Amino acid sequence: MSTGSPVGSHRVVSPAGALPQAAVRLDPDPEIRDDEVRVSVERLNLDAASFRQLRTKHGGDGRAVRAEVLAIIAARGKMQNPVTGSGGMLIGTVDAVGPRSPLGLKLGQKIATLVSLTLTPLLITDGLERWDGESEQVPVAGTAILFGRSIAAPIPDDMPEALALAVFDVCGAPALVRRVVSRRYHSAPTVAVIGAAGKSGSLSLAAAKDAHAAKVVAVVRDQVEAAQMRRLGLADKVAVADATDPLALSHAVTEALRGRGADVTVVCVDVPGCEHGAVLATATGGTVVFFSMATSFPQAALGAEGLAADVEMLIGNGYVPGHADYALHLMNAHPRLKELFNTRIGAHA
Ligand code: NAP
């Protein structure tokens, strides 16, 4: 057995020299190097932007969605939607640990990977036969490979697996929101969360409150989600707006904040076209956190320039130290947040 690269470059089939995330194709061979871990995969959580893109493309035809996901994984050796570029993550059981693996995982341990499916070698062995193509969560049999530098978290004993998977998928968002809201120590900032009724959005609301934001605005798509937000009780104001309509979005936020933009705007929608509204909704000198994978860098950068908007823009890196534990802490601290997640998982299952 030989040692691989801790960042997994030995698994890249093409193009030569790329790291696994940027690779077109990975080698998903279940045989491990001596610093790798093999996981027997039980469930995938497809990234929300990816799943929505596939569902829209196929007009809601689950069989066609399933066929395309299978084809992507077979062609690429990983699950990376070629349109959105995003993946998701997985849960499974550790079934082989190389003698030099630094991850500290044990055989038989149930884990969730905290690195994206876009860089995780993945081999499907059941043809996704138990999945109807209608939910983000995909029951599956197969194997995945973790490298020396991958990260994974044990599934908590007191949380259903489907819920843990959904929480871990977006756990970078609340940790980043806490960091950004906390650092503005001269005065507590106002925060607007766009797409607040979703998974990353609702966790971001909880994080903004936890970090003592001065005021938290939840922006949602419709009155059904607005009612969910009032029940959740984590926002000081709830506003309804289409996040892809820049003027409507900025109007909704500034109206909720008595004529000012938000100091921190967090974009948690799963559709493209929200960059300009988010920039317009943000106060001068404020920060926009683009957690959404449907964000376009040119739209954000050129849009802000064109609006002469002096705002800082952050890409929502899915990794922040301690992110998984913090998300679990928020879930346990807010039973209604757990309820909202369960409703979403149920609705999409
Ligand atoms: P989610 O649970 O599906 O939430 C998305 C929310 O946005 C939903 O409430 C949705 O409403 C709402 N929405 C959609 N279109 C809207 C519109 N035009 N106006 C207002 N609201 C709208 O998604 P999620 O799992 O939280 O993921 C959110 C985003 O984060 C996705 O783009 C995903 O790819 C990204 N993500 C990023 C990372 C990272 O590392 N940066 C990691 C995971 C996920 P409906 O439900 O009514 O459609």
Side-chain angles (χ1 to χ4, degrees):
M1 231 193 251
S2 59
T3 304
S5 152
V7 294
S9 53
H10 58 286
R11 289 272 180 177
V12 173
V13 176
S14 66
L19 290 182
Q21 206 281 333
V24 173
R25 180 166 172 72
L26 299 179
D27 174 8
D29 184 355
E31 189 77 24
I32 56 169
R33 300 278 183 107
D34 67 5
D35 60 344
E36 290 182 331
V37 169
R38 185 176 62 233
V39 180
S40 172
V41 185
E42 287 153 33
R43 195 179 276 254
L44 308 179
N45 190 103
L46 299 182
D47 171 73
S50 169
F51 181 65
R52 186 181 284 267
Q53 185 276 329
L54 290 166
R55 208 171 151 71
T56 307
K57 172 180 171 186
H58 294 293
D61 178 351
R63 286 157 65 109
V65 172
R66 181 175 65 178
E68 182 159 0
V69 170
L70 255 182
I72 291 170
I73 298 170
R76 306 199 66 173
K78 60 177 178 173
M79 178 54 210
Q80 183 171 26
N81 181 320
V83 176
T84 61
S86 57
M89 34 94 67
L90 62 84
I91 54 177
T93 304
V94 175
D95 79 342
V97 180
R100 289 174 190 262
S101 168
L103 301 185
L105 298 174
K106 296 188 176 43
L107 276 181
Q109 199 175 10
K110 185 65 80 75
I111 58 157
T113 59
L114 297 176
V115 285
S116 172
L117 289 179
T118 62
L119 54 86
T120 305
L122 180 64
L123 189 69
I124 301 296
T125 54
D126 70 346
L128 301 181
E129 62 185 12
R130 287 172 293 141
W131 184 46
D132 59 10
E134 310 234 333
S135 56
E136 286 173 8
Q137 294 210 359
V138 184
V140 58
T143 53
I145 305 296
L146 300 181
F147 314 128
R149 204 171 150 168
S150 302
I151 43 173
I155 299 285
D157 296 334
D158 57 351
M159 192 176 274
E161 286 173 15
L163 179 58
L165 186 58
V167 173
F168 286 149
D169 181 41
V170 295
C171 65
L176 184 57
V177 168
R178 174 174 64 169
R179 179 187 277 176
V180 171
V181 172
S182 305
R183 79 183 176 182
R184 300 171 66 98
Y185 46 84
H186 51 283
S187 68
T190 56
V191 178
V193 179
I194 321 297
K199 297 182 292 295
S200 56
S202 54
L203 273 165
S204 295
L205 285 180
K209 271 278 166 211
D210 184 47
H212 307 293
K215 197 175 253 190
V216 181
V217 181
V219 183
V220 294
R221 186 206 268 288
D222 54 30
Q223 292 300 342
V224 174
E225 290 191 341
Q228 287 175 342
M229 289 299 91
R230 290 192 188 97
R231 177 166 168 70
L232 182 63
L234 289 172
D236 301 296
K237 291 265 182 185
V238 178
V240 175
D242 177 355
T244 63
D245 179 338
L247 297 178
L249 177 58
S250 67
H251 177 73
V253 171
T254 48
E255 193 179 47
L257 293 173
R258 297 171 186 245
R260 280 198 84 240
D263 296 315
V264 179
T265 302
V266 190
V267 181
C268 292
V269 291
D270 56 350
V271 292
C274 305
E275 298 84 355
H276 297 172
V279 167
L280 267 182
T282 305
T284 299
T287 302
V288 188
V289 177
F290 286 110
F291 190 71
S292 168
M293 288 289 170
T295 302
S296 151
F297 180 84
Q299 289 290 327
L302 299 175
E305 181 197 78
L307 294 163
D310 176 17
V311 293
E312 178 189 36
M313 295 188 283
L314 298 180
I315 295 174
N317 175 355
Y319 174 69
V320 178
H323 57 346
D325 286 346
Y326 182 54
L328 291 176
H329 159 75
L330 292 174
M331 289 300 284
N332 289 326
H334 301 286
R336 286 187 177 167
L337 187 57
K338 213 179 257 185
E339 249 175 53
L340 183 75
F341 261 68
N342 280 325
T343 307
R344 281 198 83 81
I345 297 168
H348 290 177

